[in-house]
């Protein structure tokens, strides 16, 4: 048999360019089912090595070493059935001598284990999708971070234990831990909260426009029924079931189904899973899922039980990490839940509706251009042209014939002949550049939406709603060009120097030494790259409803949400809480501040855009304080005591949003 060349540059290059297999710095790993996808030269090398040992025919993976002339055959008998199979046996073949050596791992206490199994096989492998979905969930929860630390079975088990996770088949599960001798008598119904108004999840759903006329509502685990009454007062059909308070009410399918703070009070994991599946089965359009998210210390005044806690009222509470909650919903229902706020997710039945909702969350504010010239035809038919102007302001493009109702389309066609001719009259009376700016805004909105869709399962063009399809055609030409532009913008996020540059050039926001502070109302006016930067944090955890100001870090990939409850009322609002999200691992840190001496926000007008209510009043205060010299020593006035001392030293005090001279006292 002729010897096959293994000249290092050629051999290594073929391995590194392989379209299949898991490429590491020192080796290429390929599942035996994917060998036929390799370059013919690599296949020849492997075939020659295989001839040296008949046991190679039973191997699971083939390892092509890059730093030495060697191929290894690795045996993982449970590759398909175990999520992270352990190595049982290996055979190393020297490609120069064809000598084979073996090693047995079956008796070791800590064998190597596999991760990311989908990387070893080709996309047409029967279990590829299952493997890939598991990996996606594990990445989201940080289980695969620092991969060198989880290469062996004991270290991997330790990592799972640290995260409080088990793996059953190829699914993540939250285990009931501990060996309680007697199961406590959990009184789930006592966890129900008596409310006089709507719960936060339902209120957010209403604000998001999920309750148009004729919408039906069902509350699965309704407790005392406050949300049912709230929706009923909106004039909509509403009902609900609760195992304690309304056990006789039948389960009914509805457009919107709410599973609010239910799964976190069910101590049995099987019952918890069943409740989620049952609620989803009733939801015809949207399922609202809400659960407690871990913020405070788990052990504060409670005793540990299972994967949650027993409260002083003898009710079970399962506290989720935000990423853990999303992974749990996605895994149980096979969906891509949309985070709305901490512990609150929307799950849409229709993919197109889900994508329309996602895109709407990144739609920036725009106003129609002012009328600059008197054009007789425009003045005469302005009422007919107004719907056209409104549509362009909303979408950044002209409508299609199908998108205009008959009542709007017919008068336009009768008067102008076509939509384009009608808009020509609009352009005569307004500035065309302002309409172009609106189109650019909408183009940037779509870029942010499409870039963030890269992290999940980016929808196919046919799965988008008709209006989104038309937006993309009009603003980008085609879907491929739009996605390419979005991905290029996403790639640039890895350059912190570019993030810092955009922050420093931003006309919106308060400049600080290592950050840019922007009020939440002004986020949509930022450069699209900065909107994407913040979107990478809010896409997974949801932007906290309480957040007032967003802090864009420029030295490290990190976003902080700051809560100033009295932002509008107090001239120097106090910081109550902060939530820091690291974009490297999506780790979330929370902090409460000392209410007696909290940090204060000065020159709050700098975080806003000029169209914010009372902006002029806030800006005038900042000008006064600068003239008084009150803002000269930033470090000294960081907190309330320092600020009060500064006012005292300058003989000043505040009356609302005005600086006045302090009255002299004896």
């Amino acid at each position: 048999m002729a010897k096959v060349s293994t000249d290092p540059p050629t051999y290594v290059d073929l391995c590194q360019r392989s379209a299949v297999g898991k490429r590491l710095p020192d080796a290429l790993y390929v599942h035996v089912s994917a060998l036929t996808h390799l370059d013919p030269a690599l296949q020849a090398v492997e075939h020659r090595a295989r001839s040296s040992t008949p046991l190679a025919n039973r191997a699971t993976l083939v390892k092509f070493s890059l730093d030495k002339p060697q191929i290894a055959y690795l045996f993982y008998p449970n590759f398909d059935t175990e999520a992270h199979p352990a190595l049982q046996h290996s055979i190393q073949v020297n490609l120069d001598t064809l000598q084979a050596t073996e090693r047995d791992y079956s008796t070791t206490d800590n064998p190597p284990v596999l991760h990311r199994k989908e990387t070893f096989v080709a996309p047409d492998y029967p279990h590829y999708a299952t493997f890939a979905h598991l990996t996606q969930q594990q990445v989201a929860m940080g289980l695969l971070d620092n991969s060198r630390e989880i290469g062996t079975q004991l270290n991997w088990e330790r990592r799972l234990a640290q995260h409080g996770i088990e793996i059953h088949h190829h699914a993540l599960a939250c285990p009931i831990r501990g060996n309680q001798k007697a199961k406590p008598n959990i009184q789930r119904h006592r966890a129900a909260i008596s409310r006089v108004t709507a719960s936060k999840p339902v209120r957010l759903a209403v604000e998001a426009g999920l309750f148009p006329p004729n919408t039906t509502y069902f509350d699965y685990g309704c407790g005392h029924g406050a949300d049912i009454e709230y929706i009923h007062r909106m004039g909509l059909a509403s009902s609900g079931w609760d195992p304690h308070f309304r056990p006789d009410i039948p389960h009914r399918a509805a457009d919107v189904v709410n599973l609010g703070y239910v799964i976190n009070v069910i101590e049995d994991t099987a019952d918890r899973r069943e409740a989620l599946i049952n609620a989803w089965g009733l939801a015809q359009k949207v399922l609202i899922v809400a659960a407690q998210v871990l913020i405070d210390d788990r052990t504060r005044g409670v005793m540990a039980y299972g994967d949650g806690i027993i409260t002083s009222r003898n009710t079970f509470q399962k506290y989720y990490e935000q990423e853990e909650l999303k992974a749990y919903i996605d895994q149980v229902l096979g969906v891509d839940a949309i985070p709305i706020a901490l512990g609150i997710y929307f799950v849409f039945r229709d993919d197109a509706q889900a994508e329309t909702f996602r895109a709407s969350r990144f739609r920036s504010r725009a106003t129609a251009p002012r009328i600059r010239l008197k054009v007789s035809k425009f003045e005469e038919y302005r009422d007919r042209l107004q719907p056209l102007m409104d549509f362009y302001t909303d979408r950044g493009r002209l409508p299609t014939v199908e998108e205009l109702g008959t009542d709007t389309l017919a008068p336009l066609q009768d008067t102008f002949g076509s939509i384009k001719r009608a808009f020509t009259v609009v352009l005569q009376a307004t500035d065309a550049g302002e309409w172009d700016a609106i189109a650019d805004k909408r183009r940037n909105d779509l870029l942010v939406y499409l870039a963030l869709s890269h992290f999940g399962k980016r929808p196919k063009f046919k799965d988008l709603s008709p209006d989104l399809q038309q937006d993309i055609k009009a603003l980008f030409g085609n879907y491929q060009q739009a996605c390419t532009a979005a991905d290029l913008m996403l790639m640039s996020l890895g350059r912190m120097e570019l993030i810092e540059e955009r922050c420093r050039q931003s006309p919106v926001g308060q400049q600080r030494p290592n950050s840019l502070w922007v009020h939440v109302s002004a986020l949509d006016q930022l450069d699209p790259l900065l909107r994407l930067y913040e979107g990478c944090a809010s896409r997974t955890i949801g932007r906290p409803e309480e957040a007032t100001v967003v802090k864009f870090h420029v030295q490290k990939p990190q976003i902080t949400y700051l809560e100033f409850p009295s932002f509008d009322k107090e001239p120097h609002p106090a910081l109550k809480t902060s939530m820091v999200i690291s974009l490297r691992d999506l780790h979330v840190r929370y902090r409460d501040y000392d209410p007696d001496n909290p940090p204060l926000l000065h020159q709050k007008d700098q975080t806003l855009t000029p169209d914010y209510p009372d902006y002029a009043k806030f800006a005038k205060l900042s000008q006064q304080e600068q003239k008084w010299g009150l803002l000269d020593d930033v470090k000294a006035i960081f907190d309330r005591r320092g600020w009060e001392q500064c006012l005292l030293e300058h003989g000043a005090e505040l009356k609302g949003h005005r600086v006045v001279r302090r009255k002299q006292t004896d």
Side-chain angles (χ1 to χ4, degrees):
M1 181 181 295
K3 184 175 180 180
V4 178
S5 172
T6 58
D7 185 57
T10 303
Y11 175 74
V12 170
D13 186 51
L14 289 174
C15 289
Q16 291 177 335
R17 287 189 298 146
S18 175
V20 297
K22 185 173 185 176
R23 295 190 298 271
L24 295 179
D26 60 348
L28 169 69
Y29 294 80
V30 183
H31 191 271
V32 290
S33 67
L35 291 175
T36 56
H37 293 266
L38 294 175
D39 186 279
L42 281 183
Q43 292 187 50
V45 172
E46 190 278 324
H47 183 74
R48 180 170 177 268
R50 181 181 294 268
S51 66
S52 67
T53 171
L55 293 177
N57 292 324
R58 300 207 302 258
T60 313
L61 302 181
V62 180
K63 174 185 176 182
F64 296 81
S65 296
L66 305 184
D67 54 357
K68 52 189 172 183
Q70 177 178 290
I71 280 182
Y73 293 94
L74 310 177
F75 296 78
Y76 295 88
N78 301 316
F79 182 85
D80 285 340
T81 57
E82 291 189 5
H84 297 273
L87 179 62
Q88 297 290 310
H89 195 76
S90 70
I91 300 175
Q92 293 78 35
V93 178
N94 186 303
L95 294 176
D96 290 334
T97 65
L98 292 184
Q99 293 295 314
T101 58
E102 299 184 26
R103 182 173 178 182
D104 183 16
Y105 292 86
S106 62
T107 59
T108 181
D109 294 330
N110 191 27
V113 293
L114 289 182
H115 305 286
R116 303 175 186 264
K117 291 195 299 181
E118 75 282 357
T119 61
F120 300 101
V121 300
D124 59 357
Y125 191 74
H127 306 298
Y128 178 88
T130 300
F131 299 164
H133 184 66
L134 174 63
T135 297
Q136 181 183 10
Q137 290 185 311
Q138 292 174 334
V139 168
M141 296 187 67
L143 292 173
L144 303 182
D145 293 350
N146 301 319
S147 57
R148 292 184 179 181
E149 300 176 2
I150 56 174
T152 60
Q153 191 167 42
L154 293 180
N155 285 343
W156 174 236
E157 291 173 352
R158 187 176 299 114
R159 174 68 61 85
L160 291 174
Q162 290 170 349
H163 284 73
I165 292 294
E166 287 182 357
I167 298 178
H168 297 286
H169 302 295
H170 284 79
L172 301 184
C174 304
I176 291 290
R177 295 187 293 272
N179 297 312
Q180 290 85 359
K181 293 182 180 180
K183 186 174 181 178
N185 179 26
I186 308 299
Q187 300 178 46
R188 297 179 187 172
H189 66 279
R190 298 192 66 185
I193 300 173
S194 295
R195 295 186 179 93
V196 295
T197 185
S199 64
K200 182 176 178 180
V202 170
R203 180 169 49 80
L204 290 177
V206 172
E207 293 172 0
L210 299 186
F211 286 88
N214 301 319
T215 298
T216 56
Y217 172 78
F218 187 82
D219 200 321
Y220 191 98
C222 60
H224 297 280
D227 286 331
I228 298 174
E229 293 301 318
Y230 179 82
I231 299 300
H232 179 71
R233 288 197 298 272
M234 292 174 59
L236 301 176
S238 62
S239 181
W241 168 87
D242 189 275
H244 181 79
F245 296 100
R246 301 190 182 200
D248 298 328
I249 301 297
H251 294 180
R252 294 194 181 109
D255 296 328
V256 179
V257 173
N258 179 36
L259 188 69
Y261 305 108
V262 171
I263 59 175
N264 54 280
V265 302
I266 302 176
E267 72 281 4
D268 184 82
T269 53
D271 290 349
R272 194 183 307 159
R273 181 185 181 92
E274 182 182 7
L276 183 56
I277 292 173
N278 288 346
W280 177 235
L282 297 174
Q284 296 180 325
K285 293 183 178 179
V286 187
L287 173 66
I288 306 168
V289 182
Q292 297 288 351
V293 172
L294 181 63
I295 296 180
D296 294 328
D297 190 345
R298 291 176 187 250
T299 60
R300 189 175 298 173
V302 297
M303 70 177 222
Y305 171 69
D307 59 353
I309 58 174
I310 303 279
T311 68
S312 59
R313 302 177 69 197
N314 210 33
T315 67
F316 177 85
Q317 290 282 354
K318 158 64 178 169
Y319 285 85
Y320 288 90
E321 297 286 354
Q322 179 80 356
E323 269 296 287
E324 176 192 8
L325 176 57
K326 173 170 170 54
Y328 179 71
I329 298 169
D330 290 355
Q331 179 262 319
V332 172
L333 302 182
V335 297
D336 185 12
I338 301 176
I340 304 303
L342 280 176
I344 302 173
Y345 286 87
F346 293 167
V347 185
F348 287 85
R349 180 70 66 183
D350 180 66
D351 290 340
Q353 187 182 3
E355 296 310 319
T356 298
F357 179 79
R358 283 190 172 95
S360 70
R361 301 179 74 198
F362 301 104
R363 188 176 295 277
S364 56
R365 288 170 291 150
T367 55
R370 291 175 297 170
I371 309 304
R372 296 182 178 273
L373 296 175
K374 276 203 169 188
V375 176
S376 59
K377 199 165 188 178
F378 177 85
E379 297 294 335
E380 183 179 357
Y381 296 107
R382 183 168 182 173
D383 58 332
R384 299 187 181 188
L385 293 170
Q386 192 62 49
L388 187 60
M389 297 167 64
D390 293 341
F391 187 96
Y392 199 108
T393 303
D394 184 47
R395 312 299 303 191
R397 62 174 174 85
L398 291 177
T400 63
V401 172
E402 294 77 17
E403 288 175 312
L404 284 183
T406 304
D407 293 342
T408 300
L409 179 62
L412 281 179
Q413 290 179 327
D414 291 343
T415 306
F416 304 100
S418 69
I419 294 174
K420 287 186 177 180
R421 288 178 183 174
F423 195 67
T424 300
V425 176
V426 173
L427 293 177
Q428 293 171 0
T430 57
D431 185 346
E434 293 185 30
W435 292 108
D436 291 339
I438 290 174
D440 285 339
K441 268 180 176 284
R442 296 297 172 244
R443 193 175 290 110
N444 288 332
D445 293 343
L446 286 172
L447 281 176
V448 175
Y449 155 66
L450 290 172
L452 291 174
S453 73
H454 179 88
F455 290 104
K457 184 180 179 182
R458 177 173 284 166
K460 296 179 180 178
F461 185 69
K462 66 180 179 64
D463 294 330
L464 300 176
S465 63
D467 54 351
L468 268 180
Q469 292 181 359
Q470 291 297 334
D471 290 346
I472 290 169
K473 287 179 181 178
L475 297 173
F476 292 96
N478 59 59
Y479 192 45
Q480 183 178 358
Q481 290 183 7
C483 291
T484 300
D487 290 341
L488 288 174
M489 185 169 70
L490 184 62
M491 290 173 61
S492 64
L493 273 185
R495 298 169 51 197
M496 285 307 300
E497 70 276 9
L498 183 58
I499 297 296
E500 182 173 14
E501 177 185 304
R502 297 294 171 86
C503 284
R504 295 309 176 216
Q505 294 175 349
S506 177
V508 179
Q510 185 179 90
Q511 298 286 346
R512 300 218 172 186
N514 295 305
S515 60
L516 175 72
W517 290 33
V518 182
H519 192 273
V520 290
S521 67
L523 291 176
D524 66 349
Q525 303 302 306
L526 290 174
D527 180 276
L529 186 64
L530 296 183
R531 293 174 62 194
L532 179 59
Y533 186 30
E534 188 274 335
C536 287
S538 62
R539 74 175 177 87
T540 51
I541 59 129
R543 187 181 302 145
E545 187 191 22
E546 299 80 7
T548 317
V549 173
V550 180
K551 178 180 178 181
F552 293 77
H553 297 256
V554 299
Q555 300 298 324
K556 50 188 174 182
Q558 185 168 285
I559 293 290
T560 301
Y561 294 101
L562 306 171
E563 180 188 2
F564 295 95
S566 57
F567 183 91
D568 291 329
K569 295 180 180 179
E570 296 293 331
H572 295 269
L575 180 59
K576 181 180 179 182
T577 64
S578 68
M579 185 176 76
V580 184
I581 300 108
S582 168
L583 297 184
R584 287 196 178 99
D585 55 11
L586 295 180
H587 179 70
V588 181
R589 299 195 311 274
Y590 304 89
R591 180 177 176 183
D592 292 319
Y593 291 86
D594 180 6
D596 294 327
N597 189 34
L600 299 183
L601 176 62
H602 305 288
Q603 295 180 286
K604 62 182 181 180
D605 57 288
Q606 294 181 351
T607 69
L608 303 165
T609 51
D611 59 351
Y612 188 84
D614 290 330
Y615 171 86
K617 180 172 68 175
F618 301 161
K620 186 175 181 180
L621 171 64
S622 295
Q623 293 171 0
Q624 276 191 298
E625 291 174 340
Q626 285 176 325
K627 290 180 180 179
W628 277 71
L630 297 172
L631 307 176
D632 293 347
D633 190 345
V634 177
K635 293 183 178 179
I637 60 174
F638 171 76
D639 53 26
R640 178 175 288 160
R641 289 172 189 158
W643 174 243
E644 291 174 348
Q645 181 64 31
C646 176
L647 289 172
L648 183 63
E649 291 173 355
H650 284 77
E653 63 179 347
L654 294 180
K655 294 290 185 181
H657 284 75
R658 292 185 303 112
V659 182
V660 298
R661 190 165 300 281
R662 184 182 294 271
K663 294 180 180 179
Q664 298 297 321
T665 58
D666 294 335

